Structures are given as C-alpha cells and as structure tokens.
Amino acid sequence: MSTQTFTRTPIAPAKEDRPPAPPAARRRPNIHRVLSRVIVLAIAVVQVYPLVWLFLTSVRDEQDFASGNPFGLPTSFTLDNYARAFGQGDIGTYILNSLIVTAGADVLIVVCGMMGAYAIEVLGFRFSNAVRALFLIGIIVPVQIALVPLFIDYTRIDLLDTYPSMIIPLAGFSLPMALYLFSSFFGYIPRETYEAASLDGAGPYRIFARITLPMSVNTVVTVVMVNSIFIWNDFIFANTFVLSEDLKTIPLGLQNYIGAMGKTDWTATFAAVCVTVTPLLLVFLVLNKAMIYGLESGANKG
C-alpha cells in the first residue's frame, strides 16, 4: 500500500487584496511644488521690501540717512520728517486731487469699456470686428503724440487747468485694454443665458443691467485695479494740463520737496510718499475683498 504525501501550495492573495504600491511621485519630494513656493516667496519679498524700506527711511534721521548706509537699518527714529512733509507741501490737497482724477477716470473707463464690449461682443452689429480692431490699435498709440493737440484744443474750449483735462485723456488711453478685458469675459457667458432672458421679454438694456453687470464684478475690479496704478502715478498729463497749485496731483506735488540747486529732502520726501500711498493701499484692500467675495459668490451659485 503506497502512501502519497500531499503538500499544500500557498495560495497567492488576490490582486484586489494587495495594498496599492505607492506612486513614485509620493516617494520623493515634489520638486515643482517646492520650486513654485520658493519663487512665490521671492516675488513677495521683492514686492514688500520696497514698502518696508520706504517706511523705515521716512522715520529715519536726515543726518543718519545722509552719512550712513541708505539701505541699512535706521539707528534713530524721528517723526520730524512727517512734520516737514506737511510743511513743505499741501499733501491733503494733492491726495484729494489724485482721488478725484483716479475715481473719475475709473468710472469713465468701466462704463465706456463695459458698454462698448457689450455692444460688440453680445449684441453684435455689422463691422463689429473692425470696430474691436480699431479700439485695440489704441493700445500701441504712444501718449506723447496727444499732448500738443490736446493742449491746443483745451486752450480753445477753455478746458485747460481743470479736472476733465486730466480725466479725459487718462480714460481714453486706458479704454482699449478695458474693452479687451470686458470682451474676453463676455465671450465666456453662455449665449443660452441671453436667449432665455430675451424669451422672457427682457430687452438689451435690462439684460445688461440684470445679467451682464452683476456677473462682471470681478472684471470691473480687475480693470479698476490695473488702471488705478497708472492713473495715480500719472505725471505727464498733469504736468502738461495743470497750471495752478490747487489742482496739483501727488506726482506734481512731490516736486515741492526739491530745493535750490536740485537739493532734495529725501527723508521728508519718503514721509510724503508714505502718506500719499496709504489711500491707494486702502482702496486696493477694499477691491481685493470685493474680488474675493465675488469669486466666493460665483462658486456658491455654481
């Protein structure tokens, strides 16, 4: 009688029971993520450092700034620079004039750019593409070629040395880019939305006020933020069309800190710049909050 010996062969586990092998990307550090964070941190330092250095120089003693390292840390703190800044120039008037010019130009840019883009992109008409191209050509037109013709025209119609003399050209030269941004955004709005509103009896003005305008909040904020920097720092139009002291904007007002033989009171100038930059920073914070709110509202609706 023969005896057979049976050996039990181990059964391999099913593929479904095996734990998944970790991907190669998880087993080594994400180089792209680390590199992107380093780049973002470097950009943030480059953007923030000038503001910090500006503030530190504004509270630095004049002799310390002249004799020591201009980019080093201050050895003493003083607020006399702010007193001299208010004494040498009417900072309040300069800030008010810049706010009026910036707000007026931004309103014109947003209203004209949005309505023009709505007519070209949404309503549509014959030769609309040619009109869009004509507007975009304005981006390459240099500002300097309009100074002499505008000066002559303003003199003839008695518009020289007024707020509109600065607001109109600033808005005009910023309009092509604003129209391009609004047109690009309106192109992403589904056509079915406008067709459904038309079937409900809404006309073009009602569609613009009830659909297009509320959906364009983030684009409006972007246009305002981009153009406000250019308008706030404008020197060439203000220097050409403003003749009186009462209408000087901030870039013109800072010229008062240049003394005889080109001597500049740098610490007082930096103090004045700190004061005049503060309103623009506050406006940007408000606009940034509005943009975040608009993005969150759009995400919640979606």
Side-chain angles (χ1 to χ4, degrees), residues 5-215:
T5 304
F6 297 95
T7 58
R8 180 176 295 178
T9 304
I11 300 174
K15 292 184 178 181
E16 292 78 6
D17 299 335
R18 295 179 182 177
R26 295 181 182 177
R27 288 180 295 185
R28 63 172 182 266
N30 194 329
I31 300 177
H32 297 287
R33 182 179 300 177
V34 175
L35 184 61
S36 62
R37 290 181 178 178
V38 171
I39 293 175
V40 170
L41 180 61
I43 294 175
V45 171
V46 171
Q47 294 292 329
V48 174
Y49 173 74
L51 296 177
V52 176
W53 176 76
L54 182 67
F55 173 74
L56 293 178
T57 308
S58 67
V59 296
R60 192 173 184 178
D61 185 74
E62 187 178 5
Q63 299 298 328
D64 181 26
F65 178 78
S67 59
N69 182 12
F71 299 98
L73 295 176
T75 58
S76 61
F77 293 88
T78 178
L79 296 178
D80 293 339
N81 300 325
Y82 288 89
R84 294 201 314 276
F86 281 94
Q88 295 181 22
D90 193 359
I91 296 180
T93 301
Y94 304 151
I95 294 177
L96 178 61
N97 293 333
S98 293
L99 287 175
I100 293 174
V101 172
T102 303
D106 282 336
V107 170
L108 276 179
I109 293 169
V110 170
V111 172
C112 296
M114 183 180 293
M115 297 182 69
Y118 179 76
I120 293 174
E121 189 69 28
V122 179
L123 298 181
F125 55 90
R126 192 177 182 183
F127 303 119
S128 59
N129 292 329
V131 174
R132 181 192 288 110
L134 186 62
F135 270 102
L136 294 181
I137 290 176
I139 299 177
I140 65 175
V141 176
V143 175
Q144 290 78 8
I145 65 172
L147 295 178
V148 174
L150 285 176
F151 188 88
I152 296 174
D153 293 338
Y154 287 162
T155 304
R156 292 176 178 175
I157 62 178
D158 198 20
L159 199 61
L160 200 64
D161 199 22
T162 59
Y163 289 123
S165 64
M166 295 178 284
I167 293 174
I168 293 175
L170 287 171
F173 279 95
S174 302
L175 184 60
M177 182 58 67
L179 188 139
Y180 173 75
L181 292 176
F182 281 118
S183 297
S184 300
F185 174 74
F186 293 164
Y188 286 101
I189 299 177
R191 304 295 299 184
E192 292 78 5
T193 304
Y194 298 116
E195 293 174 359
S198 299
L199 293 176
D200 291 338
Y205 297 103
R206 188 176 181 182
I207 293 175
F208 176 79
R210 301 296 296 272
I211 297 177
T212 307
L213 183 59
M215 297 178 65

Side-chain angles (χ1 to χ4, degrees), residues 277-299:
V277 165
T278 303
L280 189 61
L281 293 178
L282 295 177
V283 171
F284 276 6
L285 289 176
V286 174
L287 293 176
N288 189 31
K289 292 292 183 180
M291 180 176 290
I292 294 175
Y293 176 78
L295 292 175
E296 292 178 350
S297 300

